[in-house]
């Protein structure tokens, strides 16, 4: 239920021209709630004026758009309105174009208090946006173009230079957006609008462009580097990694498609891998490492032993891990600190099963998120693992999609997982009972592409729901919707 203050604020903003005129008369303490209501209700005229006259040093989306005492709605978990986002940017632009000597109708302390606009933490769910919402890609582009326009606007007259504002953003860049984003970062160096990147995600970007961007970023503010679909290989990685290692306080590093044949290593490949390891040893704050689709067979010990601090999130999807890799991880200092573990795409059904169970045992006290998609786990392997799995008392998320499990195996999992009080989401596969003419053992490609008997699956869903109700666990989501469930971000765990 909304508070009386919230309802009164919403009423005040109904007439936007009158609300703008009233802003100088309102207490500063009301501005945060005014911002949230204006953003929520798309009162863009008021929102723009609020940013223009913001009376505090910091304007943070994460603070202002979260659940609060007046309104339980968390706007950051929604796709944000394009109109509202544009109004914020226009308000910032107007503020920068207001010279210090201009008296105006607002008190000077309101005009010139803002030093930091923090727009980080916006939802980026990876799904198609509707015309009324702004994706992270669009937000990156809008902020970058604002920086360029500000720099191209010319220099102010003496005594009329605007107070610099640092804009903290999460930058998303691909080949289409690289040119103007690079220009924006260059422009912001000497501009009153200074871009400060917290998380960088570069998708399918040429190596030279990736290096050029990294060279423009502030080493003290970057928290995450995420290089996706770049297919670097060990040679490409050896070129980029020294530029990445410059950010020694980096907390999250996500690299993918780092290939090198460990069975027939070349001299150059070995040199490149050793150089990569040497650079990885420079990080002092790294807590998350993702090496998806990288060939790490028999090399995990070399990679993890070089790190200075224990990891809390480790993603090794489709890395062709061997039993010795899992044994090393279980015995390493990392295991006892892991909050998130992703072993998707590694076959855990054979010789890897017992080492995997040992790893679960070592991580049981801290593990919150476990992803085991397409790991070839059938009923026998799941049932053998359940005693160890259920010791993960803090587990919130379990991903088992793409494994050849039957309805009987799923029911056993549901019954045993009752002891896991923190469990909230289980992404399970379509049971093998619901397929027609399934080969055995079924490859993951068949499980992902073969047709399902919808009538059989409807009965399965109903039975699972009844079991959840009977066990008092109706609040736990059991679903096959792997694309509708966002992977838990390490920083939100």
């Amino acid at each position: 239920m909304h508070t009386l203050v919230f309802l009164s604020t919403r009423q005040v903003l109904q007439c936007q021209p009158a609300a703008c005129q009233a802003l100088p008369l309102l207490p500063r303490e009301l501005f945060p709630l005014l911002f949230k209501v204006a953003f929520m209700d798309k009162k863009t005229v008021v929102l723009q004026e609020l940013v223009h006259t913001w009376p505090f040093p910091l304007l943070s989306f994460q603070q202002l758009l979260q659940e609060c005492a007046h309104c339980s709605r968390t706007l950051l978990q929604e796709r944000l309105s394009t109109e509202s986002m544009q109004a914020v940017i226009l308000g910032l632009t107007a503020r920068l174009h207001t010279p210090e000597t201009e008296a105006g109708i607002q008190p000077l302390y309101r005009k010139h208090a803002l030093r930091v606009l923090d727009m980080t933490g916006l939802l980026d769910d990876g799904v198609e946006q509707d015309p009324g919402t702004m994706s992270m890609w669009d937000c990156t582009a809008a902020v970058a173009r604002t920086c360029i326009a500000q720099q191209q606007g010319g220099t102010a007259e003496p005594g009329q230079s605007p107070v610099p504002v640092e804009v903290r953003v999460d930058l998303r860049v691909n080949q289409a957006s690289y040119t103007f984003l690079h220009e924006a970062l260059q422009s912001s160096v000497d501009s009153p609008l200074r871009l400060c990147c917290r998380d960088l995600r570069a998708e399918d970007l040429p190596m030279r462009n990736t290096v050029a961007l990294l060279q423009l970023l502030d080493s003290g503010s970057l928290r995450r580097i995420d290089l996706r679909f770049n297919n670097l290989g060990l040679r490409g990685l050896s070129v980029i990694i020294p530029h990445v290692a410059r950010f020694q306080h980096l907390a999250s590093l996500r690299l993918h498609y780092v290939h090198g044949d460990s069975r027939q290593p070349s001299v150059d490949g070995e040199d490149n891998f050793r150089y990569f390891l040497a650079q990885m040893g420079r990080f002092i704050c790294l807590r998350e490492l993702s090496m998806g689709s990288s060939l790490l067979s028999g090399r995990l010990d070399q990679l993890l032993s070089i790190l200075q601090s224990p990891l809390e999130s480790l993603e090794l999807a489709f890395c062709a891990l061997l039993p010795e890799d899992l044994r090393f991880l279980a015995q390493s200092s990392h295991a006892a600190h892991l909050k998130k573990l992703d072993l998707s795409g590694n076959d855990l059904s054979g010789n890897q099963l017992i080492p995997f169970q040992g790893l679960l045992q070592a991580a049981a006290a801290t593990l919150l998120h476990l992803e085991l998609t397409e790991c070839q786990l059938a009923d026998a392997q799941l049932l053998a693992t359940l005693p160890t799995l259920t010791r993960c008392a803090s587990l919130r998320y379990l991903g088992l999609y793409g494994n050849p499990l039957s309805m009987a195996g799923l029911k056993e999992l549901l019954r045993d997982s009752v002891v896991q009080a923190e469990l909230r989401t289980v992404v399970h596969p379509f049971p093998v009972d619901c397929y027609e003419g399934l080969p055995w053992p079924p490859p993951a490609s068949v499980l992902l592409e073969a047709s399902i008997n919808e009538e059989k699956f409807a009965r399965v869903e109903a039975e699972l729901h009844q079991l959840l109700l009977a066990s008092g666990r109706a609040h736990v989501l059991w679903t096959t919707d792997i694309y509708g469930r966002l992977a838990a971000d390490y920083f939100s765990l």
Side-chain angles (χ1 to χ4, degrees):
M1 182 179 296
H2 295 148
T3 64
L4 181 59
V5 174
F6 178 92
L7 296 173
S8 300
T9 301
R10 176 169 273 176
Q11 190 62 38
V12 166
L13 299 187
Q14 289 303 308
C15 179
Q16 295 194 75
C20 289
Q21 291 181 356
L23 286 182
L25 307 175
L26 296 176
R28 289 170 23 135
E29 290 74 20
L30 281 179
F31 270 59
L33 183 56
L34 285 165
F35 184 93
K36 183 174 184 179
V37 175
F39 201 104
M40 181 188 306
D41 294 347
K42 302 177 186 177
K43 301 296 183 181
T44 55
V45 176
V46 177
L47 192 58
Q48 182 175 335
E49 187 61 20
L50 281 167
V51 178
H52 184 201
T53 61
W54 192 251
F56 305 107
L58 172 66
L59 194 162
S60 168
F61 276 30
Q62 295 190 63
Q63 292 180 9
L64 298 171
L65 302 181
Q66 65 180 341
E67 180 179 350
C68 65
H70 303 287
C71 173
S72 60
R73 188 168 168 186
T74 305
L75 294 173
L76 280 178
Q77 295 179 1
E78 306 173 14
R79 302 184 201 171
L80 297 185
S81 158
T82 297
E83 294 177 52
S84 296
M85 293 293 290
Q86 289 174 338
V88 171
I89 293 172
L90 288 172
L92 179 62
T93 303
R95 186 185 192 99
L96 292 172
H97 288 164
T98 302
E100 289 187 6
T101 56
E102 180 181 318
I105 62 169
Q106 303 290 346
L108 287 177
Y109 79 90
R110 285 192 173 177
K111 282 187 176 179
H112 304 301
L114 184 62
R115 294 295 181 271
V116 177
L117 171 60
D118 190 340
M119 301 174 68
T120 60
L122 304 184
L123 176 67
D124 185 20
D125 56 10
V127 300
E128 185 178 353
Q129 305 290 315
D130 62 66
T133 63
M134 180 175 281
S135 68
M136 273 303 308
W137 297 97
D138 295 332
C139 182
T140 294
V143 173
R145 291 191 174 105
T146 302
C147 286
I148 295 170
Q150 175 64 32
Q151 185 67 6
Q152 294 174 345
T155 58
E157 298 179 9
Q160 293 190 342
S161 58
V163 175
V165 177
E166 179 182 290
V167 182
R168 296 175 184 170
V169 288
D170 296 329
L171 295 180
R172 306 292 186 261
V173 57
N174 55 17
Q175 294 190 56
S177 61
Y178 166 76
T179 300
F180 67 78
L181 182 56
H182 184 270
E183 182 182 352
L185 288 167
Q186 282 185 316
S187 300
S188 73
V189 174
D190 300 314
S191 170
L193 186 60
R194 296 171 183 171
L195 274 185
C196 184
C197 179
R198 183 188 69 161
D199 294 352
L200 174 69
R201 189 173 87 193
E203 292 195 3
D204 197 22
L205 204 62
M207 188 164 50
R208 66 181 182 279
N209 292 350
T210 303
V211 170
L213 279 181
L214 292 172
Q215 290 173 333
L216 289 173
L217 299 179
D218 180 6
S219 62
S221 60
L222 199 63
R223 184 182 72 165
R224 166 179 284 160
I225 293 177
D226 185 351
L227 305 182
R228 300 189 181 192
F229 313 120
N230 292 282
N231 201 15
L232 294 171
L234 281 174
R235 182 181 178 187
L237 186 59
S238 68
V239 174
I240 286 181
I241 194 63
H243 299 280
V244 173
R246 180 171 69 88
F247 305 94
Q248 294 184 27
H249 291 85
L250 201 70
S252 170
L253 178 60
R254 305 177 65 85
L255 304 169
H256 305 274
Y257 303 103
V258 180
H259 294 293
D261 193 342
S262 61
R263 292 161 296 186
Q264 296 179 343
S266 66
V267 174
D268 288 344
E270 285 300 302
D271 288 344
N272 288 331
F273 189 69
R274 282 195 296 268
Y275 182 67
F276 166 63
L277 294 178
Q279 297 298 316
M280 289 295 292
R282 294 173 59 186
F283 296 109
I284 59 177
C285 299
L286 196 65
R287 293 293 180 271
E288 177 179 53
L289 178 62
S290 175
M291 296 286 290
S293 299
S294 300
L295 187 57
L296 294 175
S297 304
R299 289 187 159 187
L300 194 60
D301 59 337
Q302 299 176 59
L303 174 59
L304 297 184
S305 60
I306 201 70
L307 300 179
Q308 294 194 34
S309 303
L311 295 171
E312 296 180 348
S313 174
L314 182 59
E315 299 181 11
L316 299 170
F318 298 94
C319 287
L321 298 181
L322 301 176
E324 52 264 38
D325 295 313
L326 297 175
R327 279 193 290 267
F328 171 81
L329 179 55
Q331 296 166 7
S332 72
S333 62
H334 303 283
H337 293 81
L338 286 176
K339 296 179 181 178
K340 181 179 180 181
L341 177 63
D342 186 350
L343 296 176
S344 297
N346 294 285
D347 187 349
L348 303 178
S349 64
N351 294 334
Q352 290 92 336
L353 184 61
I354 292 179
F356 165 61
Q357 292 169 352
L359 173 57
L360 272 188
Q361 180 65 40
T366 57
L367 199 59
L368 305 176
H369 184 105
L370 179 61
E371 188 69 69
L372 301 173
T373 297
E374 297 181 44
C375 287
Q376 294 298 308
L377 295 172
D379 287 359
Q381 290 81 30
L382 178 64
L383 295 179
T385 306
L386 275 179
T388 308
L389 180 61
T390 54
R391 291 193 187 103
C392 301
S394 300
L395 195 67
R396 301 172 188 166
Y397 175 98
L398 176 61
L400 288 168
Y401 193 82
N403 288 288
L405 299 174
S406 70
M407 180 55 183
L410 289 178
K411 288 197 291 186
E412 194 67 30
L413 171 64
L414 190 152
R415 293 190 189 100
D416 284 16
S417 66
V418 169
V419 300
Q420 294 172 294
E422 299 300 319
L423 191 62
R424 292 295 178 269
T425 304
V426 177
V427 179
H428 64 87
F430 294 97
V432 292
D433 317 60
C434 298
Y435 293 87
E436 304 290 349
L438 194 65
W440 198 264
S445 58
V446 172
L447 292 176
L448 297 177
E449 297 173 6
S451 59
I452 302 293
N453 185 313
E454 297 293 343
E455 186 176 336
K456 287 183 178 180
F457 182 62
R459 290 197 295 268
V460 165
E461 283 192 308
E463 189 171 352
L464 288 175
H465 182 65
Q466 288 301 317
L467 288 172
L468 285 170
L469 287 176
S471 62
R473 305 281 285 166
H475 60 282
V476 181
L477 175 64
W478 278 60
T479 179
T480 57
D481 185 7
I482 191 171
Y483 299 108
R485 304 302 307 167
L486 294 177
D489 185 78
Y490 162 65
F491 294 107
S492 67
L493 291 175

